Amino acid sequence: GGDGYHVVLAGMSRISVALGRSVLAGEPVGVMGEARLASVSAGRGAQGPELYVEFRKDGKPVDPAPWWAERRSGRTGNDT
């Protein structure tokens, strides 16, 4: 499944799905950590954890812009 698409995530402190498993839209995959990744946040003055997301098609990075959608679930923030 996935038609050759994969998502790479970094910055999570806990992952709740198995590597390679398909997930449903909106399904939680893990919990963010407390610390930032130094290589991702260096020089930006960001506060709190940061999540690195990379979309790949057949192993090659692709532009993620078409994948982002406005959230309409009514939930805000990091609901758990």
Side-chain angles (χ1 to χ4, degrees):
D3 295 326
Y5 285 98
H6 294 86
V7 179
V8 177
L9 301 174
M12 310 279 290
S13 68
R14 186 173 69 232
I15 303 291
S16 57
V17 296
L19 179 65
R21 181 182 146 211
S22 294
V23 295
L24 300 173
E27 180 179 353
V29 296
V31 177
M32 292 290 296
E34 293 296 324
R36 295 186 304 246
L37 292 174
S39 62
V40 173
S41 62
R44 289 203 252 150
Q47 300 291 320
E50 289 190 14
L51 178 64
Y52 172 83
V53 179
E54 181 177 295
F55 292 87
R56 294 183 180 180
K57 167 74 169 160
D58 299 325
K60 297 178 182 175
V62 296
D63 179 8
W67 294 86
W68 303 127
E70 184 177 330
R71 190 175 201 176
R72 298 178 187 209
S73 69
R75 294 171 54 188
T76 59
N78 185 15
D79 296 336
T80 53

